[in-house]
Amino acid sequence: MEIGISMFGDLRFDKQNNSYQIAGQRINEIIEEVKLMDEVGLDVFGIGEHHRADYAVSAPDIILAGAATVTKNIKLTSAVTVLSSDDPVRVYEAFSTVNAMSNGRAEITVGRGSFIESFPLFGYDLNDYNELFTEKLNLLLNINWADGPLTWTGKHRPSLKDQEVFPKSEIPMDVWIAAGGTPESVLRAAKLGLPLVFAIIGGMPEQYKPFFEYYKQEYIKAGHDINKMQIATHSHGLVGADGNALAREYFATYKDQMDRIGTSRGWQPYTYEQYEGGRSRDGALFIGDANQVVDKILYHQEMFGLTRWLMHSDLGAPDHLTQMKSIELLGTKIAPEVKKALAK
């Protein structure tokens, strides 16, 4: 089982000055954090894509290219690439370049996106939300799997006729499908034999169990090799030496970000009771000390049959030193204990 970290590049908000942290500062912190992830032996790093004032990263491939120059072993993936509003040819070119720079460590995680700002920014109609993703995923996979010149015709992008896309990866890159809990996304990934990652960021994770079972059932029905099946989850988390003290300190930061996002989505203000419920064994948050997080990862692995688990660790932008300590504990304490337990 692989263990890693995903981030969105959240920017710290200064209430006194009513302004966000400078993006360049956060981006350089992220590179330093990924370098530490690699040094402590974590398996995967994922970075998301947003086009908003409260996030530093709009081009995941650029961040991953920078990370490739300071790491040796860790896998590098987007989390996610909003494929519906991007060009699959450019996506492939960017990630195959990262793949070359990193000696084969690049992956692509694609999704339709839970934020919609990229659609008007790049001139796409939200009414085509699902159709865009289906068509562009088809093209991306055709490019990734092609052995030579490709001919392809679609509705939302100019056709290709006997064309190749460079640089070409020596072997196809893994393309993961990101799902938030819709049967359509699960079925698409299963039929195509693609790895699937669920964002489980609230509520009761056990409620997602039917989706995992559905994926496995349809994956096998489509004739894919069960031994090659990859399933992951991504959940909010942060680790400290004193888990309860960390949780108390982090709550205000976490609540502020959840409320900022929730304002545009009609959510009720986030409460401490929700937070503590999320931190419980049956909740979705991995915020605590190493032992608490180890136990919860193992519980989720047993429940879902995970091959990968990602801690989404920068919601609300906890400070850089807190992040570095959390990364160190995840790599030196938690990952070895989880893998030791699973090996038994």
Side-chain angles (χ1 to χ4, degrees), residues 135-150:
E135 178 178 300
K136 293 188 175 191
L137 177 63
N138 174 268
L139 176 53
L140 178 64
L141 295 177
N142 270 280
I143 296 169
N144 192 40
W145 295 337
D147 290 328
L150 174 67

Side-chain angles (χ1 to χ4, degrees), residues 18 37 62 66 76 84 96 124 150 174 197 240 271 278 334 340:
N18 196 37
M37 293 175 208
I62 301 296
L76 303 168
S84 304
S96 63
Y124 290 99
L150 174 67
D174 277 350
V197 55
T271 67
I334 294 169
K340 180 180 176 182

Side-chain angles (χ1 to χ4, degrees), residues 220-252:
I220 294 169
K221 187 188 293 184
H224 303 298
D225 184 352
I226 191 70
N227 295 311
K228 295 181 180 179
M229 186 172 66
Q230 298 183 76
I231 308 174
T233 57
H234 129 131
S235 297
H236 297 160
L238 199 66
V239 193
D242 184 331
N244 291 328
L246 171 77
R248 288 192 296 270
E249 293 167 6
Y250 184 38
F251 173 69

Side-chain angles (χ1 to χ4, degrees), residues 4 9-10 35 51 93 97 118 149 166 247 252 258 294 303 333 337:
D10 291 38
K35 185 173 183 291
H51 305 267
E93 289 178 336
T97 300
S118 64
F166 301 104
M258 291 295 284
V294 166
M303 183 162 49
K333 301 292 185 184
E337 284 300 313

Side-chain angles (χ1 to χ4, degrees), residues 111-268:
R112 288 174 289 185
S114 61
F115 293 89
I116 60 172
E117 72 277 354
S118 64
F119 287 81
L121 184 64
F122 298 116
Y124 290 99
D125 188 339
L126 274 171
N127 291 322
D128 298 326
Y129 186 79
N130 292 317
E131 192 177 87
L132 282 165
F133 184 77
T134 300
E135 178 178 300
K136 293 188 175 191
L137 177 63
N138 174 268
L139 176 53
L140 178 64
L141 295 177
N142 270 280
I143 296 169
N144 192 40
W145 295 337
D147 290 328
L150 174 67
T151 294
W152 177 91
T153 301
K155 175 182 176 182
H156 297 282
R157 190 203 182 278
S159 300
L160 300 176
K161 183 175 176 58
D162 294 330
Q163 290 177 286
E164 293 191 74
V165 182
F166 301 104
K168 191 72 181 173
S169 292
E170 291 184 21
I171 59 173
M173 292 177 284
D174 277 350
V175 177
W176 289 69
I177 297 288
T182 60
E184 294 80 12
S185 296
V186 174
L187 182 60
R188 176 189 286 115
K191 283 187 171 181
L192 292 169
L194 298 177
L196 181 67
V197 55
F198 276 98
I200 302 181
I201 59 175
M204 305 282 284
E206 188 175 9
Q207 295 172 329
Y208 284 80
K209 196 169 181 180
F211 289 111
F212 286 88
E213 293 171 352
Y214 181 46
Y215 174 75
K216 294 172 186 177
Q217 170 191 316
E218 294 297 327
Y219 186 96
I220 294 169
K221 187 188 293 184
H224 303 298
D225 184 352
I226 191 70
N227 295 311
K228 295 181 180 179
M229 186 172 66
Q230 298 183 76
I231 308 174
T233 57
H234 129 131
S235 297
H236 297 160
L238 199 66
V239 193
D242 184 331
N244 291 328
L246 171 77
R248 288 192 296 270
E249 293 167 6
Y250 184 38
F251 173 69
T253 299
Y254 190 88
K255 172 181 168 57
D256 283 350
Q257 182 71 338
M258 291 295 284
D259 286 348
R260 272 194 293 273
I261 295 170
T263 298
S264 63
R265 301 187 179 187
W267 298 350
Q268 293 297 312

Side-chain angles (χ1 to χ4, degrees), residues 1-7 33-46 71-76 105 239 297 308-311 313 323-336 339:
M1 179 178 168
E2 296 175 319
I3 294 177
I5 287 178
S6 61
M7 293 180 171
E33 289 159 9
V34 183
K35 185 173 183 291
L36 179 61
M37 293 175 208
D38 190 56
E39 290 170 351
V40 298
L42 290 174
D43 300 302
V44 188
F45 169 67
T71 59
K72 296 179 180 178
N73 300 302
I74 195 167
K75 292 181 180 179
L76 303 168
R105 291 185 281 127
V239 193
I297 293 173
R308 174 181 290 183
W309 178 83
L310 298 175
M311 173 181 282
S313 70
Q323 289 265 41
M324 293 289 275
K325 184 61 179 177
S326 181
I327 292 164
E328 179 189 347
L329 289 169
L330 189 61
T332 62
K333 301 292 185 184
I334 294 169
K339 293 181 180 186

Side-chain angles (χ1 to χ4, degrees), residues 251-317:
F251 173 69
T253 299
Y254 190 88
K255 172 181 168 57
D256 283 350
Q257 182 71 338
M258 291 295 284
D259 286 348
R260 272 194 293 273
I261 295 170
T263 298
S264 63
R265 301 187 179 187
W267 298 350
Q268 293 297 312
Y270 192 77
T271 67
Y272 193 73
E273 289 72 25
Q274 282 178 275
Y275 184 68
E276 284 300 292
R279 292 184 62 229
S280 71
R281 184 176 185 269
D282 295 322
L285 299 181
F286 290 76
I287 300 169
D289 63 33
N291 289 332
Q292 290 171 310
V293 174
V294 166
D295 290 344
K296 203 161 180 178
I297 293 173
L298 290 172
Y299 173 52
H300 279 221
Q301 200 284 331
E302 181 180 4
M303 183 162 49
F304 300 131
L306 301 177
T307 62
R308 174 181 290 183
W309 178 83
L310 298 175
M311 173 181 282
H312 187 81
S313 70
D314 69 341
L315 192 131

